[in-house]
């Protein structure tokens, strides 16, 4: 979004500017900085650089911070907070430690001068200090925004949005909405959710400063704050808003979910835009403009696929949306952000060149369309099932891939090593290949019981790889596996795993209903190779499950985001006094119950169908909350499931989730927290007071050693 931000700052009259990685640098007086804080729709933060210095030792960081005269910025009894991040630093890579060093330098300086020390306030401090350590160079800044600028001030804190406000603004700016609004074109979001795109569209069209509703910025408590200058800018912004609201075009939102409509109405009222934005409950098939509305822009953030849980049904939704656009919106512009370009193809309307944007951890594409007959076409893309069927058929023919012997040789080598290890450790289900050769980007898992099954998962090939070539190599893989393992091709199952598609692994792909029994650590578990992307048993979590089994005797065990309950089975086998298994899916809870029945587990075993986040938050507020001695918390990376009221992002939500889980943990209890998000960073500073041990290395099994980032895991306990 750097280019969008640079253009925005130029429009505010700010120069000179220079684009940098993930940001824009500019110069100016204090009024210029204030104006950026008040008016930037796409920035996250505005940082005032105080100094840069070399950090080759830990003391270099301490003294580099201490060289600043902090009395110029902060009263001795004031409050501050520190944000610290590091990249490629040979000295400091623990952000919590770095932040403590910065804090100590400021506190020590103030205490030495005034015999007083400032307070730490992580919510709304007088000043927020930002330190970014790149290699051996530290940049020390004041965060003038105080908190992320995407927080406009109109959102109910209890209601999350599928996209942040600054991303919504970027989508609208890139889609030409400012020019369309000037020509009195209408704005429609047919899947409006809590109304973020509608509100950002209205603020752009009305010349409504995005920071006008905020009551906190990072400069409000700063000693150099110019209150008169800030008030002048606010008065100017109020005047521009009053004029802009008089020329606001038609802005309308539809959604089939009544809770979403209620949330949108709340936000519209909070922004003072009631009677300016119209929202109503309406299905996508019924979305159409009134005759009096001027053609303008259709914009939306549609489901990413896992909301509906079925590929064919999701594709049908996009086809219906495309039909609606073709039928009722000819002459309009359209824009949508999606994570799977194949779904955009299902609209049947040619788009401009896609723009890559990130919605949290999810890489997305912004598609922009001109809805006119010359751009219409009939999609003929293969479904995933059709593609898999063709690959499977091709694998049965001779000479499918002349170079597949490379894959076969690597498979034999891995099998020789791992089969011996598995036999010695009584392991019957394990991974024997994980994209060892870049040309053959698949994972191959063996499941052994009364017979051998193989689960093959293809990692989605990059766009630069010809699809036909990728299919040919995959067919070669399917041909070699039965030959090397000496099993029937019917015992090999193929799935396609796309990158970062949230909870796709939980969604149904077939209806065979064929389950097989495998064993792990003395526990029997049901697996399914045909109906779901994952089999029902996460093999990389084997050491954690065995750890739980060893520690469960006499304990009260809680399994959150439990999936098929395999960890619960291990806890029960280990002699747990009681177990509680919580998951949102009734399908997987029933699977978990069958796993328990398969092992003839008797005793106090509770199964709860609930959104784990809501359940945790509710239980944590109880006067006498439940107490558990052992908790396993393994959430998905991201979810905007229709069964959840809010969007879940493990990076954003892990602190509150862990705190709620800890409130249910007995004084001497242990919480195991695990995540598969490769870019995850645990916010230790926000979890101060807890004893946190990174046990990732001890929980990566031998068969996943070639992929040490398959998951991260921490052991968390109450502090002293």
């Amino acid at each position: 979004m750097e280019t969008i931000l640079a253009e925005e700052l130029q429009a505010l009259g700010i120069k000179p500017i220079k684009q940098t990685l993930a940001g824009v640098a500019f110069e100016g007086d204090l009024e210029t900085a204030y104006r950026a804080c008040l008016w930037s729709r796409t920035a996250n933060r505005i940082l005032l650089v105080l100094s840069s210095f070399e950090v080759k030792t830990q003391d270099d960081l301490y003294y580099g911070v201490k060289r600043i005269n902090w009395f110029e910025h902060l009263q001795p009894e004031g409050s501050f907070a520190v944000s610290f991040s590091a990249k490629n630093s040979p000295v400091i890579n623990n952000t919590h430690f770095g932040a403590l060093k910065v804090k100590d330098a400021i506190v020590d300086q103030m205490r030495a001068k005034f015999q007083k020390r400032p307070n730490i306030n992580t919510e709304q401090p007088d000043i927020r200090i930002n330190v970014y350590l790149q290699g051996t160079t530290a940049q020390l800044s004041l965060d003038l925004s105080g908190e992320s600028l995407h927080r406009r001030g109109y959102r109910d804190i209890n209601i999350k949005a599928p996209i942040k406000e600054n991303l919504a603004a970027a989508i609208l700016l890139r889609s030409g909405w400012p020019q369309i609004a000037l020509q009195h074109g209408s704005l429609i979001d047919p899947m409006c959710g809590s109304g973020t795109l509608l509100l950002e569209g209205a603020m752009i069209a009305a010349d409504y400063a995005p920071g006008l509703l905020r009551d906190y910025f990072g400069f409000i408590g700063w000693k150099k704050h110019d209150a008169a200058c800030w008030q002048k800018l606010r008065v100017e912004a109020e005047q521009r808003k009053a004029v802009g609201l008089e020329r606001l075009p038609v802005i309308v939102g539809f959604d089939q979910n009544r809770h979403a409509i209620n949330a949108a109405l709340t936000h519209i009222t909070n922004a003072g835009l009631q009677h300016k934005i119209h929202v109503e409950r309406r299905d996508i098939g019924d979305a159409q403009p009134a005759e009096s509305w001027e053609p303008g822009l259709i914009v939306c953030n549609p489901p990413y696929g896992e909301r509906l849980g079925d590929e064919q049904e999701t594709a049908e939704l996009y086809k219906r949306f495309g039909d609606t656009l073709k039928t009722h919106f000819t002459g309009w512009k359209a824009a949508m952000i999606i994570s799977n370009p194949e779904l955009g193809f299902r609209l049947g309307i040619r788009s401009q060149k896609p723009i890559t944007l990130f919605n949290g951890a999810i890489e997305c594409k912004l598609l922009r369309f001109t809805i006119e007959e010359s751009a219409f076409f009939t999609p003929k893309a293969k479904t995933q099932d059709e593609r898999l069927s063709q690959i499977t058929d091709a694998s049965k023919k001779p000479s499918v891939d002349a170079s597949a012997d490379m894959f076969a040789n690597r498979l034999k080598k891995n099998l020789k090593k791992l089969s011996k290890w598995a036999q010695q450790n009584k392991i019957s289900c394990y991974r024997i290949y994980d994209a060892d050769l870049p040309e053959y980007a698949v994972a191959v898992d063996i499941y052994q019981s009364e017979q051998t099954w193989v689960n093959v998962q293809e990692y989605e090939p990059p766009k630069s790889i010809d699809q036909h070539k990728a299919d040919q190599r995959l067919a070669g893989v399917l041909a070699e596996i039965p030959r090397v393992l000496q099993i029937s091709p019917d015992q090999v199952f193929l799935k396609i795993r796309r990158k970062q598609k949230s909870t796709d692994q939980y969604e149904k792909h077939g209806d065979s209903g064929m389950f097989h029994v495998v064993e792990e650590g003395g526990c029997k578990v049901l697996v399914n190779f045909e109906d779901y992307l994952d089999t029902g048993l996460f093999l990389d979590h084997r050491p954690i499950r065995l750890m739980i089994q060893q520690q469960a005797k006499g304990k009260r065990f809680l399994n959150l985001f439990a999936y098929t309950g395999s960890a619960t089975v291990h806890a029960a086998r280990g002699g747990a006094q009681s177990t509680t298994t919580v998951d949102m899916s009734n399908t997987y809870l029933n699977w978990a119950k069958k796993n328990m029945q398969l092992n003839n587990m008797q005793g106090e075993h509770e199964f709860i169908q609930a959104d784990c986040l809501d359940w945790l938050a509710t239980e944590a507020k109880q006067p006498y909350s439940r107490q558990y001695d052992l908790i396993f918390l393994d959430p998905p990376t991201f979810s905007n499931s229709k069964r959840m009221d809010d969007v879940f992002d493990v990076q954003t939500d892990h602190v509150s989730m862990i705190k709620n889980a800890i409130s249910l943990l007995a004084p001497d209890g242990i919480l195991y927290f695990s995540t598969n998000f490769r870019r995850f960073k645990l916010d230790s500073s926000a979890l101060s007071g807890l004893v946190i041990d990174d046990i990732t290395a001890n929980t990566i099994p031998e068969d996943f050693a070639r992929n040490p980032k398959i998951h991260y895991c921490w052991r968390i306990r109450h502090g002293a």
Side-chain angles (χ1 to χ4, degrees):
M1 286 164 50
E2 301 94 325
T3 302
I4 306 173
L5 177 57
E7 292 171 354
E8 182 183 48
L9 293 175
Q10 285 177 325
L12 291 173
I14 296 173
K15 53 184 180 181
I17 61 173
K18 178 184 178 182
Q19 287 190 45
T20 63
L21 180 64
V24 176
F26 65 94
E27 297 178 3
D29 55 16
L30 197 55
E31 181 176 331
T32 301
Y34 284 175
R35 192 177 295 278
C37 285
L38 181 61
W39 281 98
S40 177
R41 303 184 190 278
T42 56
N44 272 314
R45 296 183 181 274
I46 308 293
L47 304 177
L48 171 62
V49 180
L50 298 181
S51 71
S52 294
F53 51 90
E54 287 294 304
V55 176
K56 295 183 178 179
T57 68
Q58 295 174 4
D59 286 343
D60 288 345
L61 175 63
Y62 178 87
Y63 290 110
V65 174
K66 209 170 180 181
R67 277 194 289 271
I68 300 292
N69 181 4
W70 290 105
F71 184 61
E72 292 182 1
H73 305 284
L74 178 68
Q75 294 289 355
E77 65 278 4
S79 63
F80 73 98
V82 177
S83 298
F84 183 93
S85 58
K87 185 176 182 181
N88 301 326
S89 168
V91 180
I92 300 172
N93 51 30
N94 184 301
T95 57
H96 182 55
F97 176 80
L100 284 176
K101 274 288 184 185
V102 175
K103 182 209 75 169
D104 289 347
I106 298 168
V107 168
D108 291 351
Q109 184 193 89
M110 287 290 199
R111 187 188 283 125
K113 284 186 178 181
F114 305 103
Q115 289 73 55
K116 293 181 181 179
R117 58 157 290 166
N119 300 309
I120 303 299
N121 179 351
T122 58
E123 296 300 319
Q124 293 192 350
D126 292 333
I127 62 171
R128 185 178 294 276
I129 295 141
N130 182 286
V131 178
Y132 176 54
L133 179 57
Q134 166 73 51
T136 59
T137 302
Q139 179 177 282
L140 173 64
S141 307
L142 280 180
D143 185 348
L144 297 182
S145 41
E147 60 184 16
S148 178
L149 292 175
H150 84 270
R151 297 176 180 172
R152 310 293 202 217
Y154 60 71
R155 181 164 301 285
D156 186 318
I157 61 171
N158 297 312
I159 302 172
K160 291 185 187 176
I163 55 174
K164 289 184 177 179
E165 290 78 351
N166 57 342
L167 175 58
I171 290 169
L172 289 159
L173 292 171
R174 263 292 171 261
S175 303
W177 168 239
Q179 296 74 26
I180 293 171
L182 283 174
Q183 298 167 8
H184 307 292
S186 306
L187 180 70
I188 297 179
D189 183 348
M191 305 181 207
C192 69
S194 59
T196 308
L197 283 162
L198 298 175
L199 283 151
E200 293 303 311
M203 295 175 91
I204 290 171
D207 199 21
Y208 185 152
L212 200 53
L213 292 172
R214 287 168 55 113
D215 56 9
Y216 172 73
F217 286 89
F219 51 74
I220 298 297
W222 181 37
K223 282 183 69 175
K224 294 186 177 183
H225 174 45
D226 187 338
C229 175
W230 176 240
Q231 184 58 25
K232 182 188 77 170
L233 290 175
R234 282 186 56 85
V235 169
E236 175 195 285
E238 289 283 4
Q239 293 171 345
R240 288 172 60 173
K241 169 189 164 186
V243 173
L245 287 176
E246 294 299 318
R247 60 170 187 266
L248 202 63
V250 170
I251 298 179
V252 177
F254 304 130
D255 203 287
Q256 63 178 357
N257 187 306
R258 61 184 177 85
H259 297 297
I261 293 297
N262 290 337
L265 288 170
T266 297
H267 296 152
I268 289 167
T269 301
N270 292 346
L273 292 171
Q274 56 269 47
H275 311 303
K276 302 292 185 181
I277 301 175
H278 174 75
V279 293
E280 65 178 78
R281 190 177 179 188
R282 190 182 291 191
D283 184 74
I284 186 64
D286 299 322
Q288 53 184 288
E291 290 185 8
S292 60
W293 299 352
E294 290 291 329
L297 178 67
I298 313 288
V299 65
C300 69
N301 174 32
Y304 286 174
E306 74 280 355
R307 274 187 185 170
L308 297 174
D310 181 274
E311 183 190 10
Q312 195 60 45
E313 189 177 352
T314 307
E316 183 60 30
L317 170 72
Y318 279 72
K319 182 180 180 301
R320 284 176 56 217
F321 184 31
D323 291 342
T324 297
L325 293 177
K326 293 174 186 176
T327 304
H328 301 296
F329 291 95
T330 301
W332 289 61
K333 303 286 187 181
M336 60 193 298
I337 182 170
I338 62 174
S339 66
N340 182 359
E342 161 64 16
L343 291 175
F345 185 75
R346 295 282 174 169
L347 294 171
I349 306 174
R350 292 182 183 86
S351 69
Q352 300 176 38
K353 183 179 179 181
I355 296 173
T356 300
L357 295 170
F358 278 84
N359 186 5
I362 309 297
E363 181 178 335
C364 298
K365 300 294 182 184
L366 174 62
L367 304 182
R368 296 164 297 161
F369 311 87
T370 297
I371 306 173
E372 55 189 12
E373 195 167 342
S374 61
F376 300 166
F377 66 93
T378 302
K380 294 181 180 179
K382 289 185 289 187
T383 66
Q384 178 173 306
D385 288 343
E386 290 168 343
R387 180 178 171 235
L388 292 181
S389 177
Q390 291 179 9
I391 292 169
T392 303
D393 290 343
S395 70
K396 298 173 184 177
K397 299 175 183 178
S399 304
V400 290
D401 180 17
S403 60
D405 56 339
M406 292 192 305
F407 167 78
N409 290 334
R410 179 57 66 95
L411 196 65
K412 290 176 187 175
K413 179 181 176 182
N414 290 355
L415 185 63
K416 183 178 180 181
K417 174 187 175 184
L418 289 169
S419 60
K420 186 181 297 184
W421 161 81
Q423 192 172 11
Q424 290 172 347
N425 291 277
K426 297 181 180 179
I427 294 171
S428 59
C429 306
Y430 55 97
R431 178 157 294 183
I432 58 170
Y433 179 92
D434 196 356
D436 299 35
L437 304 173
E439 299 90 343
Y440 296 93
V442 297
V444 181
D445 298 324
I446 282 183
Y447 291 76
Q448 294 171 323
S449 184
E450 72 274 8
Q451 68 180 87
T452 298
W453 302 280
V454 177
N455 193 58
V456 181
Q457 300 170 69
E458 182 213 27
Y459 297 113
E460 188 178 30
K463 303 293 184 291
S464 58
I465 300 296
D466 177 71
Q467 188 68 66
H468 175 71
K469 185 65 176 176
D471 289 353
Q472 194 176 34
R473 287 173 176 168
L474 193 51
V477 165
L478 295 186
E480 292 296 336
I481 288 174
R483 187 177 66 80
V484 172
L485 298 179
Q486 297 181 346
I487 60 175
S488 166
D490 294 337
Q491 292 165 243
V492 181
F493 301 90
L494 173 65
K495 315 272 177 50
I496 293 177
R497 179 181 292 279
R498 291 190 173 92
K499 184 182 178 183
Q500 289 290 353
K501 291 296 186 292
S502 177
T503 55
D504 282 354
Q505 68 267 30
Y506 302 119
E507 305 300 350
K508 200 159 189 180
H509 288 242
D511 293 294
S512 76
M514 184 65 70
F515 288 85
H516 305 276
V517 178
V518 296
E519 190 168 316
E520 175 187 89
C523 300
K524 295 177 181 177
V525 181
L526 291 168
V527 292
N528 183 304
F529 302 113
E530 299 173 67
D531 297 341
Y532 302 86
L533 184 55
D534 274 315
T535 63
L537 186 66
F538 294 139
L539 301 186
D540 63 299
H541 277 160
R542 185 189 315 112
I544 304 174
R545 288 192 291 268
L546 294 175
M547 199 181 300
I548 287 169
Q549 182 174 335
Q550 293 162 4
Q551 298 173 6
K553 189 171 183 178
K555 304 288 179 64
R556 296 162 294 180
F557 175 66
L558 172 61
N559 189 4
L560 294 161
F561 299 96
Y563 190 33
T564 60
S566 53
T568 304
V569 175
H570 279 268
R573 173 64 66 192
Q577 173 188 323
S578 64
T579 67
T580 301
T581 304
V582 187
D583 198 274
M584 189 163 54
S585 166
N586 194 47
T587 298
Y588 292 106
L589 275 183
N590 287 332
W591 195 333
K593 291 175 184 177
K594 290 177 182 177
N595 279 335
M596 291 289 278
Q597 292 165 3
L598 185 64
N599 291 271
N600 298 314
M601 295 301 180
Q602 307 297 321
E604 189 180 334
H605 303 298
E606 182 182 19
F607 298 87
I608 299 173
Q609 182 184 6
D611 175 343
C612 288
L613 295 181
D614 287 348
W615 186 85
L616 267 177
T618 300
E619 290 298 326
K621 293 176 184 175
Q622 299 301 319
Y624 300 98
S625 62
R626 295 164 174 256
Q627 291 290 283
Y628 297 93
D629 308 294
L630 194 57
I631 300 176
F632 183 44
L633 178 57
D634 179 37
T637 296
F638 178 90
S639 179
N640 65 347
S641 167
K642 66 176 180 180
R643 296 186 295 270
M644 296 179 71
D645 292 333
D646 292 326
V647 174
F648 172 78
D649 184 318
V650 70
Q651 186 62 69
T652 303
D653 298 325
H654 75 277
V655 170
S656 61
M657 180 174 56
I658 290 173
K659 285 181 176 179
N660 285 335
I662 284 291
S663 71
L664 307 187
L665 189 67
D668 295 325
I670 295 175
L671 164 68
Y672 289 112
F673 169 66
S674 179
T675 177
N676 293 86
F677 181 32
R678 289 177 176 248
R679 297 197 300 275
F680 181 79
K681 300 292 183 184
L682 187 76
D683 190 349
S684 301
S685 60
L687 296 168
S688 58
L690 299 177
V691 178
I692 302 175
D693 301 311
D694 187 341
I695 61 170
T696 302
N698 296 329
T699 63
I700 303 295
E702 177 71 21
D703 48 327
F704 285 86
R706 65 176 79 75
N707 185 10
K709 292 185 178 180
I710 187 68
H711 69 242
Y712 299 101
C713 190
W714 290 266
R715 179 175 55 231
I716 305 176
R717 294 167 290 174
H718 290 289

